[in-house]
Amino acid sequence: MGRIGGVELAPNWSSAAGALEGVLRHAGIDLPRHAVMGLTGHAFHFCLGSKAGVVALPSGPASFDRGAMVSRYARTGLRFERFAAVASGETKEAAVAWAVERLDAGVPLIGWDLHLHEFGIIDGYDRWRGGFFVQDILTEEVGPFVAWEAWAPLGEVELWAPVEAVEVAPRVVVEALGTALNLLAGAEGGGDGQPRGTAGLVAWAEALEGSVEVDRAGNAYTLAVLAAARTDGAAFLRDLEAALPEAAAELGLAARALEEEVKALSPLITLFPFPSGGHGNVQVPGLRRAAAMALRRAASYEGACAEALMAALERLEGG
């Protein structure tokens, strides 16, 4: 088949949210980026990618509860269904059949691990060549085609497809704030031992204060994703501050805390720029200590944000 027209990946450091925004617009739902990020929880997610004694690996930003996204994405006004499996010849064949059925119906998909270990949009397929047409951050460089045999090299088949528009009740705001609190608290672990939430920022600072190996490129990438996400989180909370007068004071405090967190992180974006990572900067003890101090400040602002969000939820729920 050809490619589905009118769908375009939205720019976003959080690739799943960028793909979601593109699919939403294709469905006629035009939400600003910060609303997509806030409603789904992507604005409040943090995972310090850690493995084999190395921290700040680039896998951290994509280490979130994917199963929860079906219900969270519905907060945007579009219901999704999910196909997830461990990659094997049999499961990939089933996944391709699942995807093709929806693509033939004109439904674009969100997919994982296409050209690289990130999320993107699948907007078509070529059965003769045996692969998908995709949009992700590497498409402009390497082209849109991804062969099915090369798909999902990490062994994780993950596809999300929009099903239908749904009515969004006011309750989704309370749900989104509850999700934000859980994410800041690191409550969605997954049992893999990677530090999450505000505690992940503290663990990152501790690693920089010590002699733990910090991945140069991953450190820069994780900083960029985190700063962009918290910027969107602050903008989302500012919108709610204006819309919910009964909790405006508390939501304003929460937004201000995230704005201050972004300010604390901004020097680190310069110190460890993506993609170079600042070359050898991550190995310099003095720079590591300075970065650790900034991350501890960021963690303190997140703590203040969580306190304000808890108070806001009490207001909104009549507590």
Side-chain angles (χ1 to χ4, degrees):
M1 65 163 284
R3 302 181 67 178
I4 298 169
V7 57
E8 184 176 347
L9 182 73
N12 196 319
W13 281 99
S14 296
S15 60
L20 172 61
E21 187 178 343
V23 171
L24 287 171
R25 287 181 177 173
H26 179 263
I29 300 172
D30 191 11
L31 291 175
R33 185 189 64 226
H34 65 268
V36 173
M37 291 285 287
L39 288 168
T40 60
H42 284 300
F44 304 96
H45 170 263
F46 179 74
C47 172
L48 183 67
S50 309
K51 186 176 181 180
V54 182
V55 302
L57 293 166
S59 56
S63 295
F64 55 80
D65 185 351
R66 297 172 187 170
M69 292 305 139
V70 171
S71 61
R72 290 179 188 171
Y73 284 10
R75 296 171 188 164
T76 65
L78 194 61
R79 184 168 70 85
F80 280 77
E81 58 182 339
R82 178 186 184 219
F83 186 107
V86 176
S88 67
E90 191 171 305
T91 57
K92 285 181 72 172
E93 184 177 338
V96 168
W98 188 91
V100 164
E101 179 181 357
R102 285 149 183 80
L103 292 166
D104 281 343
V107 176
L109 313 176
I110 300 172
W112 161 252
D113 209 7
L114 301 166
H115 282 129
L116 73 171
H117 311 320
E118 292 284 354
F119 288 89
I121 293 174
I122 301 173
D123 59 20
Y125 68 93
D126 186 324
R127 192 180 295 278
W128 182 78
R129 294 172 65 191
F132 291 129
F133 293 117
V134 310
Q135 298 180 44
D136 60 24
I137 63 173
L138 283 186
T139 296
E140 288 189 7
E141 295 181 28
V142 301
F145 186 77
V146 174
W148 289 326
E149 63 180 15
W151 171 41
L154 291 181
E156 304 167 354
V157 172
E158 187 79 41
L159 296 168
W160 300 325
V163 178
E164 61 184 355
V166 293
E167 184 176 351
V168 178
R171 179 71 188 175
V172 300
V173 171
V174 173
E175 293 173 358
L177 293 176
T179 295
L181 264 178
N182 285 337
L183 290 168
L184 292 175
E188 298 187 359
D192 57 12
Q194 298 183 109
R196 286 176 162 80
T198 304
L201 298 184
V202 175
W204 197 358
E206 291 174 346
L208 287 163
E209 289 166 341
S211 57
V212 174
E213 182 181 351
V214 178
D215 185 79
R216 177 175 58 83
N219 185 66
Y221 175 64
T222 304
L223 280 167
V225 175
L226 174 63
R230 296 300 187 265
T231 299
D232 283 333
F236 175 67
L237 294 175
R238 287 296 184 194
D239 279 358
L240 296 187
E241 177 190 10
L244 301 170
E246 65 271 36
E250 294 81 4
L251 290 167
L253 287 173
R256 177 65 174 169
L258 291 192
E259 289 163 355
E260 291 301 316
E261 178 183 359
V262 173
K263 291 179 185 178
L265 293 171
S266 61
L268 303 187
I269 304 297
T270 302
L271 186 61
F272 307 112
F274 182 82
S276 71
H279 300 291
N281 284 358
V282 79
Q283 306 299 335
V284 179
L287 296 180
R288 286 172 65 114
R289 288 193 297 271
M293 290 175 61
L295 287 169
R296 288 189 181 279
R297 286 197 299 274
S300 71
Y301 289 126
E302 286 205 352
C305 177
E307 289 183 9
L309 287 179
M310 192 174 301
L313 278 170
E314 290 176 358
R315 292 274 191 188
L316 292 170
E317 294 181 324

